[in-house]
Amino acid sequence: MTAQQATAAAPAALSEGDATAGEPLGRRALRTREAILDASRKLFLERGYAGTRINNITDACGISRAGFYTYFKDKREVFNLLGQTAYDDILAVIARWDNMPTHPSLDEIVEWVNAYFTFMDRHGAFIFSSAQSAPSDDDVRTLSKRMQLRVAFLLGMHLRARQQEPTSAPEALGLTALAGLDRSWFLVTVQDLGVDRTDVVQAIASVIHRGVGQV
């Protein structure tokens, strides 16, 4: 849904008490839509996709079912949009390597790991929930695998280009790096094991730094 479409849908949101006097209508409508997406991310993690119902989402947002249908036709559309948004955002994070020098400093890699963790702050709940519970049709599984392999390959190629002895399997290199990043974020942020996030970021960056030929 574009900003223009969200603005056009706003009159229905008004009936849900979704506007404040003097506040631009389009911004309010977009805020409600984002609240639906944020609630869905969390609920998919807690309950799984199959276990999350529309009324769970609307209760979390404080809107009615009619308010939900102002923005989305069903739960599947929410899931699809969350997946596409996460994919677009992670490609943007991976693309940061385009501007990294051939021999990046440790500080530059720390900055990149922080950017990846920021991405996970927004999308991590969806990523972990979709790995455990997602729409069961083959199209979703096939597309998900294709997206994951694409991301792994792109990151692997960036890392491979900076290795002293380049690997012959960039997708495996990328998958390994992503697994470490995702799991570390989960343990620090979701399970809150008491390890300082800054220390974890520094440790991951050091591993990547050594892996791309920096001693």
Side-chain angles (χ1 to χ4, degrees):
M1 182 183 290
T2 64
Q4 290 80 3
Q5 288 171 316
T7 302
L14 274 171
S15 66
E16 298 301 321
D18 190 37
T20 300
E23 184 172 1
L25 190 60
R27 189 187 343 169
R28 189 67 176 182
L30 290 171
R31 183 182 300 173
T32 300
R33 181 172 173 271
E34 190 63 31
I36 293 172
L37 294 171
D38 286 341
S40 298
R41 285 187 187 98
K42 296 172 184 176
L43 288 167
F44 288 160
L45 180 61
E46 296 169 2
R47 296 170 172 263
Y49 175 81
T52 300
R53 301 185 180 279
I54 298 295
N55 66 293
N56 300 137
I57 298 172
T58 56
D59 287 348
C61 297
I63 63 174
S64 71
R65 289 179 70 90
F68 175 90
Y69 291 120
T70 296
Y71 302 96
F72 300 101
K73 66 179 181 180
D74 53 26
K75 181 178 65 172
R76 175 62 177 270
E77 186 179 15
V78 174
F79 182 90
N80 289 345
L81 181 57
L82 288 174
Q84 185 62 55
T85 302
Y87 182 62
D88 292 341
D89 285 355
I90 196 172
L91 289 180
V93 174
I94 301 300
R96 286 170 171 251
W97 281 92
D98 291 335
N99 299 318
M100 296 268 273
T102 302
H103 302 296
S105 68
L106 177 58
D107 286 344
E108 288 170 319
I109 298 177
V110 165
E111 183 178 355
W112 182 81
V113 175
N114 272 317
Y116 190 90
F117 270 36
T118 298
F119 158 81
M120 289 296 290
D121 289 339
R122 184 182 184 198
H123 298 291
F126 173 78
I127 291 170
F128 277 95
S129 67
S130 61
Q132 301 167 7
S133 173
S136 58
D137 53 281
D138 291 338
D139 288 345
V140 171
R141 287 193 292 267
T142 300
L143 181 60
S144 177
K145 289 179 181 179
R146 187 181 304 136
M147 287 179 168
Q148 291 180 66
L149 286 174
R150 177 64 176 166
V151 170
F153 176 78
L154 289 173
L155 178 58
M157 287 297 291
H158 282 299
L159 298 178
R160 179 183 185 275
R162 292 166 172 82
Q163 288 183 318
Q164 291 182 350
E165 298 181 4
T167 178
S168 60
E171 66 280 0
L173 177 61
L175 278 173
T176 301
L178 290 169
L181 287 159
D182 292 351
R183 186 61 178 169
S184 296
W185 174 86
F186 182 84
L187 292 174
V188 169
T189 305
V190 179
Q191 292 197 346
D192 190 15
L193 296 184
V195 181
D196 186 81
R197 174 165 166 150
T198 301
D199 291 340
V200 171
V201 167
Q202 187 76 27
I204 295 173
S206 296
V207 171
I208 296 174
H209 193 238
R210 290 193 297 271
V212 294
Q214 306 299 306
V215 180

